[in-house]
Structures are given as C-alpha cells and as structure tokens.
Amino acid sequence: MKIAVSYLSSNNYLDCIKKINESNADFIHVDLCDGKYVNTKNFEIKDTIKLLKNSQKPLNIHLMVANPKKIIKYFKNLNVESITIHNLSNSKKILNYIKKKGYKCGIALNPNENIDLIKDYLNLIDELLIMSVVPGKGGQSFINNTLEKIDNINSIKNSYHFITAIDGGINNETIKLLKDKNIDLVISGSYITNSKDYNETINKLKKI
C-alpha cells in the first residue's frame, strides 16, 4: 500500500510541500478546488505551478473543478504521475485527453455516488478514487459506509486494470478499517500535516 500526502489542510503550503518532499511519502496529493464544482476555492494556477515545479515526489493530482481541461494544460513541466477528475458530462473526453498528454488518469467516486455511475469509464481509468468524505474541504471525518462501497468495487476490480485509492478522514484509527480491503493507495492530509514528524505518522499508516 502506498501513501500520498495532501497539503490541502495546511496553513503554509510551501512549508508543507517541502516536508512531504523530505518524507517517505510515495506521492504529493494535489487537491485543486475551483469554487464551482465544490464551494471551496484553494488555488490560483500560476501560484500552484510555482509551488510544485521543483517537487521531487511524483504528483497525484485531484481536480475538484468544473473544467479540468482548462487546468491540465498548465501541468506539462511538472512531475505529474496521475490526474483524477470527478464525473462530469464530458468525463470520457477529458480522461482520454489526460492519457494523450502522457499521464495516468483517474475518476473519483463521491460518498453519495455508486459504482454504476462510472461503469462506462472502468476500462479507461488507471485509478479509481473512493472519496470517504465530501470533496472540497480537508479535516473531515471518515464516512463509514464507504467500506461497503469498497467491497462492491473489489467484487469487480479483477476484471479491470485500475488501482483503488481512498481519500478522506484517514488516520491511525480509520486506517484499521481498511485492513484486507485491497486498497492500493491511501491519501491522508491533516493527520500527517498536523504532526511533528511526517515519517512517523506515514509509517503508522503503512503498518496496516
């Protein structure tokens, strides 16, 4: 199981990103909210590029935005591993666009959505991001009925080639709920970024 650390909840993005880069995290998780798809707006694209341009860690980008294509074009000089979007009217075109740019692509599944909603994308995606909180705000509590959703996804996962990731409310207690759930990537924010020792908290998650 790999760990991506989100800086969304931190008060100092630059310092937090520096600490993630110096840690044993596998990825920096980049949560970008536009104030349209979700109520929160947390970035200006030029500032985001400056923050991430020298990142040693690969970037696991999560676009909580209404127009992903408008933003993706700015990522060409960044160390991007994958880009995940939410289910939009033109999601298939955007996912294909991401792949043509040379990135892995993903689709996010919100807490109020079920797997049937995104079944048309399962042959296309590299990552299925299971949201265990409502998207758009860091520091929320883990939604427990996410566990049943993971079981439903696992029942069909072997027929496809995507990895499963989970995002929201992950800490040293909720990670125990994911034991034997076949999750490939865990995304954690405030639990790690509010700690004094990033490596210590990351290691606690990896022990599951």
Side-chain angles (χ1 to χ4, degrees):
M1 183 178 67
K2 295 184 176 182
I3 303 293
V5 182
S6 169
Y7 59 84
L8 178 65
S9 297
S10 66
N11 294 320
N12 185 327
Y13 284 178
L14 184 63
D15 181 62
C16 184
I17 290 167
K18 181 176 182 290
K19 288 179 180 178
I20 300 170
N21 269 309
E22 293 171 349
S23 77
N24 60 359
D26 297 288
F27 304 97
I28 295 177
H29 185 75
V30 182
D31 284 307
L32 298 183
C33 310
D34 67 351
K36 296 177 182 178
Y37 180 80
V38 292
N39 291 331
T40 304
K41 183 173 182 180
N42 75 327
F43 75 100
E44 294 295 337
I45 193 63
K46 290 183 179 179
D47 293 336
T48 299
I49 301 306
K50 287 180 181 178
L51 280 171
L52 299 170
K53 66 179 181 179
N54 295 317
S55 174
Q56 294 88 47
K57 299 285 185 187
L59 305 176
N60 176 254
I61 297 178
H62 177 196
L63 296 180
M64 290 171 273
V65 303
N67 189 351
K69 196 172 179 180
K70 183 178 178 181
I71 297 168
I72 292 165
K73 63 184 180 181
Y74 292 99
F75 298 152
K76 62 181 179 179
N77 294 319
L78 299 182
N79 186 19
V80 176
E81 169 82 6
S82 62
I83 300 174
T84 293
I85 63 170
H86 283 259
N87 185 36
L88 305 166
S89 60
N90 58 342
S91 285
K92 187 168 285 189
K93 288 183 179 179
I94 297 168
L95 291 168
N96 278 312
Y97 177 76
I98 293 169
K99 292 181 85 73
K100 286 178 181 178
K101 291 292 183 181
Y103 311 125
K104 294 180 181 178
C105 70
I107 195 87
L109 194 62
N110 290 334
N112 64 338
E113 297 173 338
N114 63 56
I115 190 67
D116 290 338
L117 187 67
I118 59 167
K119 62 183 179 181
D120 290 341
Y121 312 132
L122 298 181
N123 276 316
L124 181 61
I125 59 173
D126 300 293
E127 177 184 316
L128 174 53
L129 177 59
I130 303 159
M131 296 300 300
S132 45
V133 296
V134 176
K137 183 180 178 182
Q140 298 180 65
S141 298
F142 185 91
I143 297 173
N144 282 310
N145 63 13
T146 305
L147 300 173
E148 182 179 352
K149 186 177 294 184
I150 296 170
D151 290 336
N152 291 336
I153 291 167
N154 280 332
S155 70
I156 63 167
K157 183 178 175 181
N158 289 340
S159 300
Y160 300 94
H161 301 289
F162 60 77
I163 67 165
T164 46
I166 190 162
D167 183 4
I170 302 297
N171 56 42
N172 61 319
E173 292 300 322
T174 54
I175 192 70
K176 297 173 185 177
L177 301 173
L178 302 178
K179 188 177 181 179
D180 302 322
K181 291 294 183 182
N182 198 25
I183 295 292
D184 303 290
L185 175 65
V186 168
I187 296 149
S188 183
S190 57
Y191 170 66
I192 295 171
T193 60
N194 289 341
S195 70
K196 293 181 179 179
D197 188 330
Y198 283 24
N199 280 342
E200 181 180 351
T201 49
I202 290 168
N203 289 337
K204 286 179 181 179
L205 297 181
K206 287 194 170 189
K207 284 179 181 178
I208 185 66

